[in-house]
Amino acid sequence: MSSQGTIERRPPGRATALRPAPVPSPPGPRRRNRLSRLLSSSAVQALLMLVALVWITPLAGLLLSSMRSEQDNASGGWWTALTDPSQLSLDNYGALLEDSGIAEAFGNTVLISVPTTVLVVGIAALAGYAFAWLEFPGRDGIFLVVVGLLVVPVQIGLLPVAKLFGAVGLFGTIPGVVLFHVAYGLPFAVFLLRNYFAEIPREMLEAARMDGGTEWRIFFRLVLPLGRPAIASLAIFQFLWVWNDMLVALLFADSGSQPLTVALQSQIRQFGSNIGVLAPGAFLSLVVPLVVFFAFQRHFVQGVMAGSVK
């Protein structure tokens, strides 16, 4: 044959090796590796340390101011205590604890925050399980009403509820404040727990029913343990919302039932502030939520990540 039509001849007995096409690696691991390398870099760590320093500085300033006398706070900033530690003492905290009004306000805050959190979490857990797995007439319609209540701002209900509480004798009492917080905290709590409980495999609940488990037994022995991360996250948020609230307490609580936020607000004067009471009181009101958060931090992280991990 001519040179234009030559055919390449291969030695007999040698089969042509078929090379498999390279399989591309999934992009997910590569992106995760790049992200981990980026987060482990020195620049990112320095940036995160800077952000943490910015967040911690006001807390440190509040702590140092709470341990200085009114004369020292009036003569210079809190940072002067770093070079002169003799300014620091616990006299302000001793005077704060001896103040019957502040101590009573702190107790009222506990009496408002703890029952509200327990009631909201307990009622929302029962309602969330009912909306997720129980069949009853009007279930979807009622749930839509609950979701619609999420868009109702608190300010709209202040005046009507105040008139209602005044008519039934709850205005100016701790139960009235608790009832208001429970009513406005339930829509979000029910919505959150219902969506979380709905992700529980149906086969698991059906197997429990086939074994003779009642709905109450399934709820307490199966649903609540599985929903512990979401319940812990809800409890933390609800406790923080009620503990730091001042608007509702300022309107619904009287002088004998006012919480710590209202008591501290009353220490603000027209031409100055009682820094000897405000600083240690504000730091004391800040420490309790921090303790609660760090105590339930593991459950809180699990609840946040539960929706993104299958």
Side-chain angles (χ1 to χ4, degrees):
M1 298 179 65
S2 61
S3 59
Q4 296 178 355
T6 58
I7 299 176
E8 182 182 0
R9 297 181 179 275
R10 292 181 175 87
R14 291 186 179 178
T16 304
L18 298 177
R19 296 181 179 179
V23 179
S25 59
R30 289 204 301 266
R31 285 198 296 265
R32 286 196 295 268
N33 292 334
R34 287 198 299 267
L35 181 61
S36 61
R37 288 196 299 268
L38 178 63
L39 294 178
S40 61
S41 62
S42 301
V44 174
Q45 292 181 357
L47 178 62
L48 294 177
M49 292 179 62
L50 179 61
V51 172
L53 181 63
V54 171
W55 280 92
I56 292 176
T57 299
L59 179 61
L62 180 63
L63 175 61
L64 294 178
S65 298
S66 67
M67 301 176 66
R68 302 173 70 206
S69 63
E70 293 190 9
Q71 294 76 14
D72 293 334
N73 285 320
S75 61
W78 57 266
W79 50 87
T80 58
L82 299 177
T83 57
D84 187 12
S86 61
Q87 301 178 8
L88 304 179
S89 66
L90 298 177
D91 295 338
N92 290 337
Y93 287 94
L96 181 70
L97 296 178
E98 293 176 358
D99 189 339
S100 59
I102 298 296
E104 183 181 4
F106 183 83
N108 292 336
T109 307
V110 176
L111 292 177
I112 293 173
S113 302
V114 174
T116 301
T117 304
V118 173
L119 288 175
V120 168
V121 173
I123 298 174
L126 292 170
Y129 175 72
F131 283 125
W133 294 110
L134 298 183
E135 297 288 343
F136 56 90
R139 183 189 67 174
D140 296 337
I142 298 175
F143 183 70
L144 288 178
V145 173
V146 173
V147 174
L149 292 175
L150 290 173
V151 302
V152 179
V154 177
Q155 292 79 2
I156 291 180
L158 291 177
L159 184 58
V161 176
K163 292 182 178 180
L164 176 62
F165 283 1
V168 298
L170 289 177
F171 187 82
T173 63
I174 291 179
V177 181
V178 171
L179 185 60
F180 187 93
H181 282 299
V182 170
Y184 274 86
L186 276 177
F188 173 76
V190 173
F191 175 76
L192 175 67
L193 294 185
R194 183 265 177 191
N195 292 339
Y196 191 91
F197 292 161
E199 298 296 326
I200 298 176
R202 181 181 295 272
E203 294 79 7
M204 187 180 299
L205 300 179
E206 291 178 351
R209 293 189 179 98
M210 292 178 62
D211 290 339
T214 61
E215 295 296 336
W216 287 104
R217 187 176 182 87
I218 293 173
F219 175 75
F220 285 108
R221 300 294 297 273
L222 183 62
V223 175
L224 286 186
L226 292 176
R228 184 172 54 184
I231 293 174
S233 300
L234 174 62
I236 291 174
F237 279 121
Q238 184 65 38
F239 181 84
L240 294 181
W241 289 337
V242 179
W243 182 274
N244 297 321
D245 171 75
M246 188 180 71
L247 176 63
V248 176
L250 190 62
L251 179 62
F252 288 90
D254 59 7
S255 58
S257 59
Q258 62 182 8
L260 188 59
T261 52
V262 179
L264 293 178
Q265 188 271 340
S266 63
Q267 298 294 326
I268 300 177
R269 304 166 183 170
Q270 183 176 2
F271 300 103
S273 58
N274 190 2
I275 191 66
V277 176
L278 282 176
F283 187 79
L284 182 63
S285 67
L286 179 65
V287 166
V288 175
L290 287 177
V291 171
V292 173
F293 176 80
F294 285 112
F296 296 94
Q297 181 182 12
R298 180 171 60 89
H299 301 292
F300 174 76
V301 174
Q302 291 177 0
V304 172
M305 297 298 295
S308 60
V309 180
K310 292 292 183 181

